[in-house]
Amino acid sequence: MFKYSRPENICLHCQYRLNLLPRRRTIIASQRRQQNTSTRPPPPPPPPSGFAKLTNRRLISLYGQDASRFLQGLITANVPSFSHTTSLEEKQKSTGFYSAFLNAQGRVLQDVFIYPAAQSPFYRDSILGNSERGEERGQAFLIEVDANEVGILVKWLNKYKLRIKVRINALKEGEWNVWSQWEESTDPSSLPKSPSTQDEGSIGCLDVRAPGMGQRLILPAHQRPPTEDMGDMREVSLDQYTIRRMLHGVPEGQNEIPREVALPLDSCIDFMGGIDFRKGCYVGQELTIRTYHTGVVRKRILPVVLYGGDHKVDDERPPKLLRYDCEHAPTVLPPPRSDITRPVGYQPRSKGKFLAGIGNIGLALCRLDVMTNLGSAGSRKGGRDGEVDEFHIKWEDENDETSRGRIKVKAFVPEWYRGKGTMNEMRQQRG
């Protein structure tokens, strides 16, 4: 059947099943070994106030007469509706928002931020042509996505373009930059909802995925986030931003939300405000809305603490607090998607998957009724096995006998997560 087919015309699942990607597997395994055996010291903890350039994120430009209608049928959130009669002042009130693209089976393709960009003069000058500025002014968006997935998402969007009047282009790396800016002492509601009012030409939004995540800014290459009247704020590394994000329990990108594998509710996209359960049809809606109405979500992505490494697995006790400790971080991290199991004497069945980590903290997909005191739908009822606090990650590479280890892991439930309640409670609150 696939004898004369090119690999790019065969889905990833069939390529793996037919062994068409042996070299890709070898490369990924090698990269994981290099990543997890790295001896570089862990970065310092993130400061209470700061900003970071997110070099692991890139932008896609989407504009045209039908841009908002095109996005409305593809993403999980509602798109602001623009028309030629909408005033420029009303357009400027609309800021970016968090959302996701799903495949037809309801699994996550990409987690994204989408920013209305028509109000930015820099965007109009650098991307829109002279003949397009007037007509397309209210129909321009920037899509922020994982840097390694830009080409895949552009190809997927073009598949649904058909005769719709939109143009889709991946922006060159470094042409525009994605920034995250935060100040923990500042009430998020007091931050400007439209960063473009601070600095003409900037685009952005509040990062509402979790309390305290600050705001997102999209700026041309020659600009930096404004720091006036923001206290002692300095630029930090991408790793420090990632540590802060993991401590808040916020997954991001393909390492933590694997393409065509992760489910949107398991990945907490609903809790982070990325799904509108009242909107009309979009790709992948059927499974998502069915899960919402049944109210059963057995797994969620949670922040975890890694401890007991370096031959201390049986001696160290579980930590009481979710805290980043760069001085006592394990020297080797488990490979991504390693199974989380119980100690010897319990069923060897996997209770979760380790996704990514830095130092002694990370994110993992956890069984709620086993690894936390929450029920399968997010309630505060303890699971039947909730009394067991210790879970292990054990890994071994068949191609490298030196790449093996065992470490303990403990999951924590963020306070903002507990406030969401069960899915049934959420529906009752909405009326």
Side-chain angles (χ1 to χ4, degrees):
M1 174 178 171
F2 298 111
K3 182 176 180 180
Y4 300 104
S5 298
R6 294 184 299 176
E8 58 267 24
N9 296 329
I10 306 174
C11 74
L12 287 176
H13 294 289
C14 292
Q15 291 187 53
Y16 283 119
R17 181 168 56 86
L18 297 172
N19 246 354
L20 297 178
L21 295 177
R23 185 171 179 271
R24 176 181 170 84
R25 288 176 176 174
T26 304
I27 292 173
I28 292 176
S30 175
Q31 290 175 345
R32 288 179 178 177
R33 287 196 298 270
Q34 294 175 5
Q35 173 185 355
N36 293 286
T37 58
S38 174
T39 57
R40 63 171 182 154
S49 301
F51 59 94
K53 182 192 292 187
L54 308 186
T55 55
N56 61 339
R57 309 289 285 183
R58 285 186 58 187
L59 297 167
I60 297 172
S61 170
L62 188 147
Y63 61 95
Q65 295 180 6
D66 302 324
S68 58
R69 182 168 64 90
F70 176 70
L71 282 177
Q72 181 71 6
L74 296 178
I75 64 173
T76 56
N78 260 320
V79 180
S81 178
F82 295 116
S83 65
H84 295 292
T85 59
T86 306
S87 66
L88 179 60
E89 182 179 356
E90 292 175 347
K91 292 175 185 177
Q92 289 179 339
K93 294 179 181 178
S94 298
T95 60
F97 56 93
Y98 179 66
S99 186
F101 292 96
L102 309 181
N103 66 6
Q105 290 73 38
R107 296 186 180 271
V108 180
L109 283 174
Q110 311 289 341
D111 63 305
V112 298
F113 278 88
I114 298 179
Y115 308 92
Q119 75 275 11
S120 170
F122 288 107
Y123 176 86
R124 294 196 301 270
D125 294 339
S126 62
I127 297 177
L128 299 184
N130 294 329
S131 61
E132 298 167 335
R133 293 177 188 172
E135 185 178 0
E136 316 293 355
R137 194 171 186 179
Q139 297 285 311
F141 297 91
L142 286 176
I143 303 174
E144 177 201 322
V145 67
D146 190 301
N148 296 326
E149 301 292 319
V150 170
I152 295 174
L153 183 57
V154 169
K155 183 177 180 180
W156 187 83
L157 290 171
N158 281 316
K159 183 175 69 172
Y160 288 92
K161 180 180 175 181
L162 302 178
R163 296 184 179 181
I164 298 178
K165 296 181 180 180
V166 293
R167 296 189 182 183
I168 305 166
N169 300 307
L171 300 189
K172 295 180 180 179
E173 189 172 359
E175 183 179 357
W176 288 67
N177 295 320
V178 182
W179 298 82
S180 177
Q181 186 180 38
W182 65 88
E183 187 173 17
E184 292 184 358
S185 60
T186 301
D187 182 4
S189 61
S190 65
L191 292 173
K193 293 187 177 180
S194 178
S196 60
T197 59
Q198 281 189 351
D199 190 2
E200 186 181 7
S202 64
I203 305 166
C205 67
L206 290 180
D207 191 343
V208 298
R209 293 177 295 178
M213 285 298 293
Q215 62 181 348
R216 217 82 163 179
L217 291 172
I218 309 297
L219 297 172
H222 63 278
Q223 290 189 6
R224 293 166 60 87
T227 57
E228 296 82 3
D229 302 327
M230 298 293 286
D232 184 17
M233 181 172 290
R234 57 186 175 87
E235 183 175 357
V236 301
S237 66
L238 176 63
D239 283 345
Q240 290 175 285
Y241 160 80
T242 303
I243 292 169
R244 189 174 185 276
R245 177 173 58 76
M246 289 182 172
L247 289 172
H248 282 78
V250 175
E252 181 180 282
Q254 291 299 297
N255 292 334
E256 299 160 18
I257 308 178
R259 172 166 46 90
E260 296 187 290
V261 174
L263 293 168
L265 302 188
D266 291 358
S267 304
C268 300
I269 294 178
D270 56 332
F271 280 5
M272 296 187 292
I275 301 177
D276 189 339
F277 292 105
R278 293 186 176 183
K279 73 169 289 187
C281 296
Y282 56 88
V283 177
Q285 182 197 29
E286 183 177 355
L287 178 63
T288 305
I289 203 69
R290 186 191 307 147
T291 306
Y292 171 74
H293 284 297
T294 58
V296 178
V297 180
R298 295 183 173 87
K299 296 178 288 184
R300 292 278 188 179
I301 293 179
L302 299 175
V304 297
V305 172
L306 303 172
Y307 66 102
D310 302 330
H311 310 289
K312 301 177 182 178
V313 177
D314 299 324
D315 300 332
E316 198 166 345
R317 302 301 302 170
K320 301 292 184 181
L321 299 174
L322 175 64
R323 185 172 65 90
Y324 175 68
D325 187 353
C326 58
E327 297 181 358
H328 299 89
T331 57
V332 179
L333 294 178
R337 306 185 196 178
S338 299
D339 287 331
I340 300 175
T341 59
R342 285 180 169 175
V344 178
Y346 293 90
Q347 293 181 355
R349 186 178 176 184
S350 174
K351 307 303 178 185
K353 294 281 188 182
F354 178 76
L355 299 174
I358 296 180
N360 71 317
I361 59 103
L363 293 175
L365 182 64
C366 304
R367 284 284 302 269
L368 296 178
D369 58 342
V370 178
M371 295 188 66
T372 72
N373 62 347
L374 301 180
S376 60
S379 66
R380 302 191 180 186
K381 299 178 182 179
R384 60 188 177 194
D385 300 316
E387 69 277 1
V388 178
D389 290 330
E390 290 190 359
F391 295 88
H392 291 196
I393 302 176
K394 185 177 181 180
W395 67 94
E396 181 176 353
D397 192 339
E398 298 177 355
N399 301 321
D400 186 0
E401 295 182 357
T402 62
S403 180
R404 61 178 64 182
R406 186 161 66 101
I407 198 169
K408 290 182 180 181
V409 59
K410 181 174 181 180
F412 288 84
V413 181
E415 288 302 320
W416 70 268
Y417 176 90
R418 293 180 182 273
K420 300 293 182 178
T422 66
M423 300 187 75
N424 288 330
E425 291 171 350
M426 292 169 62
R427 290 199 297 271
Q428 291 174 3
Q429 291 175 3
R430 292 189 183 106

